[in-house]
Amino acid sequence: MELEISRREFLRVAGVGAAGLLLAGQAGEAQWAREPDYVFAAVADPHLREDREGEATGVDKFRAALAAIDAASPRPEFMLLLGDIHPEKLEPLMPTVELPVHAVHGNHETIAHRKQLRGMFPADFGERDYYSFERGDDLFIAMSTAIPGDHVGHFQSQMIQPAVEQCEWLEELLARRGEYRHVFVYGHVPPEAESRPSVMCLCQNDSRWLHEQVAQTQPSALFFGHRHRQIDF
């Protein structure tokens, strides 16, 4: 089936970033502070396995997002896929996805799913659940903030591979902020805006720690999924 979505509807579920300044208005429309030299898309929570009566399937919704990305001008160079993917549904679609994908795990990804995603994107993950990559003078940092079945986010867990090294790894990468024009950070479960207790964000101490890292190193932007609505701070 075909599913049409407007630009505004698309921007509710797919953030578009660039190696310039992105200004997002309350209406969800995006304006560039200057012409970007490249553009990337950030797509959250496709939930490809979830089909609800009276709605397009998760796969059809994702195909509509891909079509919107393909039609965008300027066209995104690659996609950040921000978790809750259901990779058993994504893998058969990958031959039809024309731009590179850099994925992170969500809380819907089981241990088996995480292994599958590492196999699908070995250049990114290797044997880890978190990674980084460079695009020109810019650094992209992919965090693992979700564990299977828990809506609260964590940086350390026996279900994250490696289990207790991520905070030190992230500190080392963010300390290199001065080497890059832009640093973009992305994951699934976000910090709470004021590090208040929340069952839909990083646990309170992890949220406080991430806020401190951001304040100290000033990455250009961070992107997360999980909340199923647009929240900017």
Side-chain angles (χ1 to χ4, degrees):
M1 68 179 289
E2 303 231 350
L3 175 66
E4 294 184 2
I5 60 174
S6 70
R7 171 177 168 77
R8 182 169 298 178
E9 290 168 335
F10 172 65
L11 285 172
R12 288 174 184 161
V13 293
V16 182
L21 294 178
L22 174 64
L23 305 179
Q26 289 185 349
E29 298 296 334
Q31 296 178 333
W32 302 112
R34 65 174 178 81
E35 186 67 21
D37 56 358
Y38 73 97
V39 174
F40 60 93
V43 180
D45 298 73
H47 289 268
L48 296 176
R49 190 178 62 235
E50 295 185 3
D51 301 333
R52 298 177 180 176
E53 187 175 354
E55 295 184 11
T57 67
V59 168
D60 284 328
K61 290 176 183 178
F62 186 62
R63 285 176 173 151
L66 292 175
I69 290 170
D70 191 56
S73 180
R75 186 177 185 272
E77 186 176 297
F78 55 86
M79 177 197 304
L80 308 180
L81 193 53
L82 306 181
D84 282 2
I85 299 164
H86 308 306
E88 74 276 18
K89 291 284 190 178
L90 177 63
E91 191 162 18
L93 293 176
M94 286 304 298
T96 69
V97 180
E98 296 183 356
L99 73 170
V101 174
H102 301 280
V104 293
H105 311 111
N107 56 293
H108 277 250
E109 268 67 73
T110 65
I111 296 297
H113 286 149
R114 290 162 185 256
K115 182 178 180 180
Q116 183 178 6
L117 281 173
R118 288 197 295 268
M120 290 170 62
F121 304 105
D124 280 341
F125 286 107
E127 297 300 318
R128 292 175 172 263
D129 285 340
Y130 42 90
Y131 60 89
S132 65
F133 69 93
E134 294 179 343
R135 194 287 185 191
D137 295 329
D138 300 337
L139 177 67
F140 289 78
I141 302 173
M143 302 184 300
S144 178
T145 62
I147 63 174
D150 192 347
H151 283 91
V152 177
H154 309 268
F155 281 118
Q156 297 178 341
S157 168
Q158 64 184 19
M159 290 181 280
I160 294 175
Q161 181 67 34
V164 295
E165 298 176 11
Q166 185 171 196
C167 290
E168 182 178 3
W169 169 87
L170 184 57
E171 282 182 331
E172 291 175 355
L173 282 178
L174 289 175
R176 297 173 56 195
R177 174 68 180 94
E179 301 175 23
Y180 296 96
R181 179 181 60 162
H182 289 293
V183 172
F184 297 107
V185 182
Y186 60 104
H188 182 65
V189 182
E192 208 281 327
E194 298 178 11
S195 295
R196 295 165 295 198
S198 170
V199 296
M200 287 295 292
C201 296
L202 285 170
C203 64
Q204 191 171 26
N205 283 339
D206 283 8
S207 184
R208 287 170 175 163
W209 179 82
L210 183 59
H211 274 285
E212 290 171 359
Q213 295 302 311
V214 170
Q216 291 170 12
T217 63
Q218 296 292 304
S220 302
L222 296 88
F223 301 91
F224 299 90
H226 194 54
R227 301 292 296 275
H228 289 210
R229 57 194 178 98
Q230 183 172 330
I231 301 171
D232 300 306
F233 61 89

